[in-house]
Amino acid sequence: MNITSVASPNFTQGRRTYRPEAIVIHIMDGTLKGTDGWFISPLSQVSSHYGVGKNGEVHQYVEETDTAWHAGRIHDPTWPLIKKTTDGMFINPNYYTIGVEHEGNESSEWTDAMYATSAELIRGLCQRWSIPADRLHIIGHHEIYSLKNCPGLKVDMDKLIALVNGSTQVVNGQISKTEKFGKVTTLTRLNLRAGPGKVYKITNMVNAGIQLAYDGFTMQGETVNGNGKWYYTEEGNWFWSGGVK
């Protein structure tokens, strides 16, 4: 992957006692070029580790071993893994996350080049830092700071994570499934969840003997009884593979 360095002065050296444990997906609310200018200005007091352009360009602003200033504000967080001190205060997520910006605004459709390049970048980050490539560890900025629709209204996080895991691919510039859609039948009463793990809220419940259609799966979900495979549906629900046949 070709990565262009656009060094930002807006970072904290090192990560204190922390290491990258998750990846935060952002939308730039502008162009890649405009974001370059904003991040290299000391007046902005913001940065991210990487930026991905509509045509698949990748710019790096801050080293992964340093703390970028991309997700330090916290408001009504919904991310289950956000850290707190023993007295209940939030620990700055910048210390234990990597920020990846994407060109466009909250209403922009992501290009296939953005999905493909972002997935390749994220896959490398997950491998280097032993970050599970799932919805619990690849999150939207709004899950930390609820006052922003970031990374936007059009991004398909499930598709992005499927690309990271290799269950979809880009062929002739188009994203296609490498795994067929399928159907399974519930073995017992089964919870549908907002993500691939029990830490996510229950969105629905189905009885035993019900047929469920799935759009794909991850092998990196929460491990239950030694099984970390979770299916996801077109509606954005997830269910554990151990509860179906």
Side-chain angles (χ1 to χ4, degrees):
M1 173 179 287
N2 183 31
I3 298 177
T4 301
S5 176
V6 184
S8 172
N10 306 321
F11 69 93
T12 302
Q13 188 171 11
R15 290 180 173 271
R16 295 196 175 180
T17 60
Y18 301 97
R19 61 181 298 280
E21 298 179 23
I23 298 164
V24 181
I25 306 302
H26 298 265
I27 198 74
M28 292 177 180
D29 200 21
T31 65
L32 182 63
K33 183 177 180 180
T35 299
D36 289 351
W38 187 236
F39 282 176
I40 66 175
S41 170
L43 297 178
S44 72
Q45 293 291 287
V46 291
S47 65
S48 193
H49 291 92
Y50 292 97
V52 178
K54 289 183 177 180
N55 294 325
E57 313 98 310
V58 179
H59 292 180
Q60 182 170 14
Y61 306 106
V62 176
E63 294 292 330
E64 295 170 17
T65 50
D66 291 326
T67 302
W69 301 342
H70 67 101
R73 293 185 296 175
I74 301 172
H75 185 273
D76 289 341
T78 57
W79 182 33
L81 299 185
I82 197 164
K83 295 181 182 294
K84 292 183 179 181
T85 63
T86 54
D87 58 0
M89 300 294 290
F90 289 114
I91 296 169
N92 189 338
N94 286 337
Y95 290 127
Y96 55 94
T97 61
I98 293 174
V100 181
E101 293 276 355
H102 296 80
E103 188 171 14
N105 57 48
E106 66 175 28
S107 298
S108 297
E109 295 279 1
W110 281 33
T111 66
D112 281 350
M114 286 176 67
Y115 274 111
T117 302
S118 184
E120 183 181 354
L121 174 65
I122 292 168
R123 187 182 306 115
L125 295 173
C126 290
Q127 291 170 351
R128 284 193 293 278
W129 295 101
S130 298
I131 298 172
D134 60 30
R135 192 63 182 82
L136 192 59
H137 297 84
I138 302 171
I139 66 170
H141 184 203
H142 68 91
E143 295 175 63
I144 293 174
Y145 188 68
S146 64
L147 298 181
K148 292 189 70 176
N149 287 322
C150 182
L153 306 174
K154 299 294 183 67
V155 59
D156 187 336
M157 292 290 288
D158 291 335
K159 180 165 71 173
L160 178 62
I161 292 169
L163 278 167
V164 173
N165 283 295
S167 58
T168 62
Q169 62 182 350
V170 176
V171 179
N172 296 326
Q174 299 295 318
I175 292 178
S176 63
K177 297 281 183 179
T178 58
E179 295 291 341
K180 295 181 179 179
F181 296 176
K183 293 181 180 180
V184 291
T185 302
T186 55
L187 293 169
T188 184
R189 201 174 188 188
L190 186 68
N191 292 328
L192 304 184
R193 296 183 180 271
K198 290 183 176 180
V199 294
Y200 286 98
K201 69 178 181 181
I202 297 172
T203 57
N204 207 338
M205 185 180 295
V206 294
N207 291 321
I210 301 298
Q211 190 175 77
L212 294 175
Y214 64 86
D215 270 10
F217 63 87
T218 178
M219 301 298 296
Q220 302 296 323
E222 179 183 350
T223 299
V224 180
N225 296 333
N227 182 357
K229 182 178 181 180
W230 288 71
Y231 292 103
Y232 64 87
T233 70
E234 182 180 12
E235 297 79 19
N237 297 313
W238 293 77
F239 58 92
W240 180 53
S241 67
V244 297
K245 63 177 181 180

